[in-house]
Amino acid sequence: VRSATKVRRDIIDACPSIRLIGRGGVGLDSIEVAYAKERKIKVINTPASSSISVAELVIAHLMGLMRSLHQSNRRMPTEGRTQFKELKKQYEKGAEVRGKTLGVIGFGRIGQWTARYALGLGMRVVYADNHANVESIELEIAGQPMRVGVKHVTLDELLTQSDAISLHVPAQPGGQAVLGTEQLRRTKPGV
């Protein structure tokens, strides 16, 4: 199954000969794993299958947001003929990512790949994770492997130090937000 398919009790019960549920992707929150295991059904996934693709997408969005491309790409085609100077002035204030700090919440495979790309762009990386304690990650620059430092910090430190924040953690129980109003108040303006 993929993420859109929900494998709940009713589906498991409707398939009495099932012995394996495989998830093509990261995470198992679309499968009732405990119930499947009670029924002696093995549950597997492919946790590394999309790590690089997701990290590349994160960096693409980061760069687009830092340059306001999401807004300028919509407004320039419709308003550019009549308001070009005003729009140009508004959107020329984009920020360079080099020298900025990326805060990564959740430092598993995707978080670490995101950090690699950010480091390659000249960013500083800090991360908060309750399970990981990584001091450096390996990059390959011009075919040469090298280790580059990353810093494990508390969530509060991450919020106050980061110029951009990327979340790489599973959904919270009950749909609770990972970052709420209180946490966002502690971030730098414009993060």
Side-chain angles (χ1 to χ4, degrees), residues 83-159:
Q83 298 179 40
F84 181 78
K85 287 183 181 178
E86 295 87 356
L87 292 173
K88 183 179 179 225
K89 191 169 195 81
Q90 184 177 349
Y91 296 124
E92 72 185 10
K93 295 181 177 85
E96 294 179 354
V97 297
R98 183 172 190 75
K100 299 286 190 284
T101 299
L102 176 65
V104 180
I105 299 174
F107 213 59
R109 288 179 189 90
I110 296 171
Q112 288 184 34
W113 272 106
T114 301
R116 284 181 180 95
Y117 286 118
L119 290 165
L121 291 169
M123 297 183 82
R124 177 177 171 257
V125 174
V126 297
Y127 74 93
D129 190 302
N130 294 334
H131 307 289
N133 192 9
V134 177
E135 294 180 10
S136 65
I137 57 176
E138 188 170 303
L139 295 179
E140 188 175 308
I141 309 286
Q144 298 298 312
M146 61 176 16
R147 296 210 65 83
V148 179
V150 292
K151 188 172 182 189
H152 184 233
V153 296
T154 66
L155 179 60
D156 195 54
E157 290 171 310
L158 183 142
L159 295 172

Side-chain angles (χ1 to χ4, degrees), residues 11-19 39 41:
I11 292 179
I12 294 169
D13 291 341
C15 303
S17 62
I18 192 170
R19 297 289 171 251
R39 303 278 314 274
I41 299 168

Side-chain angles (χ1 to χ4, degrees), residues 155-156 159-160 177-187:
L155 179 60
D156 195 54
L159 295 172
T160 59
V178 175
L179 297 179
T181 304
E182 186 56 39
Q183 290 84 16
L184 293 175
R185 282 190 183 124
R186 295 198 298 271
T187 63

Side-chain angles (χ1 to χ4, degrees), residues 19-33:
R19 297 289 171 251
L20 173 80
I21 301 170
R23 159 91 163 87
V26 179
L28 296 171
D29 48 340
S30 63
I31 301 169
E32 286 199 34
V33 176

